[in-house]
Amino acid sequence: KHNELLWNIGNLALIGPEYNQKMTNKSFDKKKEILNKSEIKTTKLIADNKKWTELEIKARNTQIQNFFIKHWGKLNKDETSSR
């Protein structure tokens, strides 16, 4: 189950390699300190969670999927109507 969630898009964050190395094998509380410093809103939002379990990862995965469906769907609709 761990490997299944490890590379799930809901468990991934946009961070620089220097932060990624600092976060490796740290508790979620320690990771939150680093995530809170991010200038990327979606990365910073992860730190708002009290814990980071399968439930939170799957919820974030759904939010990201819905975002892309909403925006790509709109993009595809706009592309179609402009032709």
Side-chain angles (χ1 to χ4, degrees):
K1 195 69 159 179
H2 171 77
N3 286 338
E4 188 179 306
L5 294 174
L6 184 64
W7 297 108
N8 182 294
I9 195 163
N11 194 41
L12 301 176
L14 297 171
I15 56 171
E18 68 281 4
Y19 292 118
N20 191 34
Q21 291 172 355
K22 290 178 183 177
M23 290 175 53
T24 302
N25 298 323
K26 301 284 190 230
S27 69
F28 183 60
D29 285 335
K30 294 288 183 190
K31 290 179 181 182
K32 284 171 52 168
E33 294 172 15
I34 296 168
L35 294 168
N36 261 324
K37 295 176 185 174
S38 178
E39 294 181 27
I40 301 170
K41 184 178 179 180
T42 56
T43 298
K44 197 170 190 168
L45 285 172
I46 296 170
D48 289 346
N49 290 282
K50 291 183 176 158
K51 56 187 177 176
W52 196 246
T53 66
E54 179 179 355
L55 184 65
E56 287 80 18
I57 292 169
K58 287 183 174 182
R60 185 166 183 264
N61 180 66
T62 300
Q63 289 172 342
I64 292 169
Q65 286 179 353
N66 289 339
F67 174 86
F68 282 113
I69 290 167
K70 177 182 174 185
H71 292 279
W72 280 353
K74 184 177 188 240
L75 178 66
N76 289 337
K77 184 179 176 185
D78 291 346
E79 287 177 351
T80 304
S81 64
S82 66
R83 291 183 184 169

